[in-house]
mmCIF file of all heavy atoms in Angstrom:
data_model
loop_
_atom_site.group_PDB
_atom_site.id
_atom_site.type_symbol
_atom_site.label_atom_id
_atom_site.label_comp_id
_atom_site.label_asym_id
_atom_site.label_seq_id
_atom_site.Cartn_x
_atom_site.Cartn_y
_atom_site.Cartn_z
ATOM 1 N N ASN T 43 -21.903 21.733 -11.752
ATOM 2 C CA ASN T 43 -22.469 21.032 -10.581
ATOM 3 C C ASN T 43 -23.393 19.972 -10.854
ATOM 4 O O ASN T 43 -24.338 19.762 -10.102
ATOM 5 C CB ASN T 43 -23.142 22.124 -9.666
ATOM 6 C CG ASN T 43 -24.303 22.825 -10.384
ATOM 7 O OD1 ASN T 43 -24.417 22.718 -11.600
ATOM 8 N ND2 ASN T 43 -25.122 23.480 -9.633
ATOM 9 N N ILE T 44 -23.246 19.173 -11.936
ATOM 10 C CA ILE T 44 -24.213 18.128 -12.185
ATOM 11 C C ILE T 44 -23.512 16.789 -12.121
ATOM 12 O O ILE T 44 -22.307 16.640 -12.609
ATOM 13 C CB ILE T 44 -25.002 18.220 -13.485
ATOM 14 C CG1 ILE T 44 -24.020 18.353 -14.700
ATOM 15 C CG2 ILE T 44 -25.940 19.411 -13.533
ATOM 16 C CD1 ILE T 44 -24.727 18.276 -16.026
ATOM 17 N N THR T 45 -24.199 15.775 -11.711
ATOM 18 C CA THR T 45 -23.587 14.402 -11.598
ATOM 19 C C THR T 45 -23.475 13.732 -13.011
ATOM 20 O O THR T 45 -24.126 14.190 -13.933
ATOM 21 C CB THR T 45 -24.489 13.482 -10.764
ATOM 22 O OG1 THR T 45 -25.713 13.328 -11.404
ATOM 23 C CG2 THR T 45 -24.714 14.073 -9.373
ATOM 24 N N ALA T 46 -22.635 12.718 -13.009
ATOM 25 C CA ALA T 46 -22.429 12.031 -14.317
ATOM 26 C C ALA T 46 -23.740 11.375 -14.786
ATOM 27 O O ALA T 46 -24.065 11.349 -15.936
ATOM 28 C CB ALA T 46 -21.365 10.894 -14.088
ATOM 29 N N GLU T 47 -24.466 10.935 -13.763
ATOM 30 C CA GLU T 47 -25.775 10.313 -14.061
ATOM 31 C C GLU T 47 -26.682 11.280 -14.828
ATOM 32 O O GLU T 47 -27.309 10.909 -15.911
ATOM 33 C CB GLU T 47 -26.343 9.821 -12.791
ATOM 34 C CG GLU T 47 -27.536 8.747 -13.009
ATOM 35 C CD GLU T 47 -28.272 8.544 -11.762
ATOM 36 O OE1 GLU T 47 -27.709 8.789 -10.661
ATOM 37 O OE2 GLU T 47 -29.413 8.069 -11.867
ATOM 38 N N ILE T 48 -26.859 12.481 -14.288
ATOM 39 C CA ILE T 48 -27.698 13.418 -14.857
ATOM 40 C C ILE T 48 -27.216 13.903 -16.223
ATOM 41 O O ILE T 48 -27.860 14.081 -17.185
ATOM 42 C CB ILE T 48 -27.882 14.581 -13.902
ATOM 43 C CG1 ILE T 48 -28.756 14.153 -12.726
ATOM 44 C CG2 ILE T 48 -28.566 15.824 -14.602
ATOM 45 C CD1 ILE T 48 -29.075 15.227 -11.752
ATOM 46 N N ARG T 49 -25.866 14.088 -16.240
ATOM 47 C CA ARG T 49 -25.185 14.441 -17.485
ATOM 48 C C ARG T 49 -25.610 13.462 -18.612
ATOM 49 O O ARG T 49 -25.976 13.791 -19.729
ATOM 50 C CB ARG T 49 -23.742 14.556 -17.359
ATOM 51 C CG ARG T 49 -23.074 15.164 -18.580
ATOM 52 C CD ARG T 49 -21.560 15.211 -18.329
ATOM 53 N NE ARG T 49 -21.269 15.961 -17.142
ATOM 54 C CZ ARG T 49 -20.772 17.250 -17.072
ATOM 55 N NH1 ARG T 49 -20.421 17.879 -18.187
ATOM 56 N NH2 ARG T 49 -20.566 17.840 -15.964
ATOM 57 N N ASN T 50 -25.566 12.116 -18.250
ATOM 58 C CA ASN T 50 -25.854 11.115 -19.168
ATOM 59 C C ASN T 50 -27.294 11.241 -19.594
ATOM 60 O O ASN T 50 -27.594 11.047 -20.895
ATOM 61 C CB ASN T 50 -25.733 9.723 -18.461
ATOM 62 C CG ASN T 50 -24.719 8.846 -19.118
ATOM 63 O OD1 ASN T 50 -24.477 9.098 -20.371
ATOM 64 N ND2 ASN T 50 -24.152 7.935 -18.414
ATOM 65 N N LYS T 51 -28.134 11.482 -18.729
ATOM 66 C CA LYS T 51 -29.592 11.619 -19.110
ATOM 67 C C LYS T 51 -29.779 12.755 -20.104
ATOM 68 O O LYS T 51 -30.441 12.656 -21.037
ATOM 69 C CB LYS T 51 -30.318 11.924 -17.786
ATOM 70 C CG LYS T 51 -31.802 11.509 -17.766
ATOM 71 C CD LYS T 51 -32.344 11.542 -16.381
ATOM 72 C CE LYS T 51 -33.696 11.870 -16.381
ATOM 73 N NZ LYS T 51 -34.154 12.208 -15.002
ATOM 74 N N PHE T 52 -29.097 13.851 -19.861
ATOM 75 C CA PHE T 52 -29.229 15.030 -20.725
ATOM 76 C C PHE T 52 -28.637 14.728 -22.127
ATOM 77 O O PHE T 52 -29.218 15.174 -23.145
ATOM 78 C CB PHE T 52 -28.421 16.251 -20.137
ATOM 79 C CG PHE T 52 -29.163 16.851 -18.990
ATOM 80 C CD1 PHE T 52 -28.397 17.796 -18.166
ATOM 81 C CD2 PHE T 52 -30.459 16.594 -18.703
ATOM 82 C CE1 PHE T 52 -29.106 18.345 -16.997
ATOM 83 C CE2 PHE T 52 -31.074 17.070 -17.625
ATOM 84 C CZ PHE T 52 -30.415 17.993 -16.824
ATOM 85 N N VAL T 53 -27.553 13.989 -22.115
ATOM 86 C CA VAL T 53 -26.931 13.547 -23.493
ATOM 87 C C VAL T 53 -28.042 12.760 -24.202
ATOM 88 O O VAL T 53 -28.308 13.092 -25.345
ATOM 89 C CB VAL T 53 -25.687 12.746 -23.263
ATOM 90 C CG1 VAL T 53 -25.306 12.090 -24.629
ATOM 91 C CG2 VAL T 53 -24.539 13.553 -22.716
ATOM 92 N N ASN T 54 -28.609 11.827 -23.528
ATOM 93 C CA ASN T 54 -29.612 10.963 -24.219
ATOM 94 C C ASN T 54 -30.829 11.771 -24.733
ATOM 95 O O ASN T 54 -31.294 11.596 -25.872
ATOM 96 C CB ASN T 54 -30.096 9.857 -23.374
ATOM 97 C CG ASN T 54 -29.038 8.752 -23.217
ATOM 98 O OD1 ASN T 54 -28.232 8.533 -24.167
ATOM 99 N ND2 ASN T 54 -28.970 8.086 -22.094
ATOM 100 N N LEU T 55 -31.292 12.699 -23.947
ATOM 101 C CA LEU T 55 -32.381 13.549 -24.330
ATOM 102 C C LEU T 55 -32.047 14.468 -25.570
ATOM 103 O O LEU T 55 -32.844 14.620 -26.456
ATOM 104 C CB LEU T 55 -32.894 14.370 -23.094
ATOM 105 C CG LEU T 55 -33.556 13.553 -22.035
ATOM 106 C CD1 LEU T 55 -33.776 14.377 -20.773
ATOM 107 C CD2 LEU T 55 -34.988 13.012 -22.571
ATOM 108 N N ALA T 56 -30.821 14.992 -25.484
ATOM 109 C CA ALA T 56 -30.395 15.866 -26.577
ATOM 110 C C ALA T 56 -30.276 14.968 -27.877
ATOM 111 O O ALA T 56 -30.791 15.403 -28.925
ATOM 112 C CB ALA T 56 -29.031 16.444 -26.235
ATOM 113 N N ILE T 57 -29.828 13.807 -27.807
ATOM 114 C CA ILE T 57 -29.637 12.959 -29.015
ATOM 115 C C ILE T 57 -31.045 12.550 -29.512
ATOM 116 O O ILE T 57 -31.368 12.616 -30.707
ATOM 117 C CB ILE T 57 -28.875 11.640 -28.719
ATOM 118 C CG1 ILE T 57 -27.427 11.997 -28.389
ATOM 119 C CG2 ILE T 57 -28.982 10.609 -29.826
ATOM 120 C CD1 ILE T 57 -26.578 10.852 -28.023
#
Side-chain angles (χ1 to χ4, degrees):
N43 60 344
I44 58 171
T45 64
E47 194 190 341
I48 289 182
R49 187 179 306 250
N50 239 337
K51 207 165 145 192
F52 288 165
V53 170
N54 285 331
L55 289 168
I57 291 176

